[in-house]
Amino acid sequence: TLLDEPRTFHLGMFEIGKPLGKGKFGRVYLVKERTSGFICALKVLYKSELQQGSGVEKQVRREIEIQSNLRHPNILRLFGHFHDPKRIFLILEFAGQGELYKLLRKESRFPEWKAAQYVAQMASALQYLHRKHIIHRDIKPENILVGVHDEIKLSDFGWSVHTPNRRRATLCGTLDYLPPEMIKSGSRDNTYDEKVDLWSLGVLTYEFLVGEAPFEDTPVMTHRRIARADMTIPPFVSAEARDLIKKLLVLDPDKRLALEAIQEHPWILKHCVKGE
Ligand SMILES: O=C(O)Cn1ncc2ncnc(NCCc3cnc(NC(=O)Nc4cccc(Cl)c4)s3)c21
């Protein structure tokens, strides 16, 4: 079936179901693989649209190359891909509860126990990626899906790269989640490493608990507030959660709490059963 080692795939293998979402570059459908009955998500990308973007087609190839080799419960599986003259198709694991940011908007903010479980799963996914010298670089609620049992599925590796990244930082994500070292201009080496994902995890933790990003403002002000790590954490956030956020949203990348330490942080231990 689909889970076996890579084979060639084609559209006729799938029975197309309901649309799951419409992204910037194409639509996603719920599909069933005919022979095995296996349910998955099919992302359709139009080559015409990709060719317009600067090097976007290369990004999709890199995503396919990176994500096809990833196997982790909190990383959305890419089972395979194929293309026809006009389109590229990504065969993806189906995430039963869809996009995390929709759940977040609906609940406005998550209870601390739920936020802690999501952060612990994100830290586990990032530990797996960083051990493989992959930085995601675009961690934000829009790129996280949720499975039927509330398990986090980090997805959309369109922007992930292998470290160390000697390329100049390009403005790739929404400003809210960008770490200071990626928006700092002027300094000679605008390089960055996997610690950018630690900053974004801090922003994510804040947004889970508060319902909005810590530096949300006008673009100019957001830029300035990120550069100064200028944020206020509302009083309803517990002392332990506040402690973790402040240990991740640190300007100096080397002083950010390491992923292993996040798993041992009191706020995480309080809400997460060990070895879950
Ligand atoms: O999210 C939804 O809309 C709805 N939804 N609901 C449930 C569900 N289950 C699985 N997947 C879904 N959606 C697809 C998520 C993606 C995963 N990987 C991607 N990769 C990508 O888009 N790459 C890409 C494209 C264009 C340019 C470049 Cl550079 C890279 S998109 C699901």
Side-chain angles (χ1 to χ4, degrees), residues 18-30 40-46 50 55-64 67 76-78 90 92-102 142-146 153-159:
K18 67 170 183 174
L20 286 172
K22 201 168 79 62
K24 206 170 25 165
F25 285 93
R27 292 173 180 278
V28 188
Y29 297 89
L30 187 63
C40 48
L42 191 67
K43 172 123 189 187
V44 186
L45 301 165
Y46 286 89
L50 295 180
V56 173
E57 198 151 355
K58 187 164 47 62
Q59 267 178 264
V60 178
R61 268 199 297 278
R62 181 172 55 226
E63 170 185 2
I64 291 168
Q67 211 174 341
L76 196 81
R77 280 292 307 279
L78 174 64
L90 304 178
L92 297 157
E93 173 184 5
F94 169 56
Q97 289 191 69
E99 295 166 297
L100 179 70
Y101 87 92
K102 284 183 183 165
E142 290 78 353
N143 286 341
I144 301 171
L145 296 168
V146 185
K153 299 282 179 184
L154 182 52
S155 95
D156 197 343
F157 285 73
W159 301 103

Side-chain angles (χ1 to χ4, degrees), residues 137-197:
R137 282 198 323 167
D138 197 12
I139 290 171
K140 55 187 177 185
E142 290 78 353
N143 286 341
I144 301 171
L145 296 168
V146 185
V148 283
H149 304 299
D150 235 10
E151 66 277 28
I152 283 280
K153 299 282 179 184
L154 182 52
S155 95
D156 197 343
F157 285 73
W159 301 103
S160 54
V161 286
H162 282 92
T163 51
N165 185 285
R166 290 282 160 261
R167 243 163 18 94
R168 291 185 62 77
T170 52
L171 198 58
C172 52
T174 54
L175 214 50
D176 275 333
Y177 275 75
L178 289 184
E181 65 268 26
M182 281 180 78
I183 61 171
K184 189 176 64 189
S185 61
S187 76
R188 272 294 307 135
D189 66 330
N190 220 359
T191 58
Y192 52 87
D193 62 12
E194 74 282 345
K195 296 184 188 66
V196 298
D197 288 339

Side-chain angles (χ1 to χ4, degrees), residues 81-107:
H81 65 282
F82 56 95
H83 60 92
D84 69 12
K86 287 199 174 61
R87 299 167 292 186
I88 297 174
F89 299 87
L90 304 178
I91 308 165
L92 297 157
E93 173 184 5
F94 169 56
Q97 289 191 69
E99 295 166 297
L100 179 70
Y101 87 92
K102 284 183 183 165
L103 301 181
L104 183 53
R105 294 292 172 269
K106 198 162 59 182
E107 290 190 50

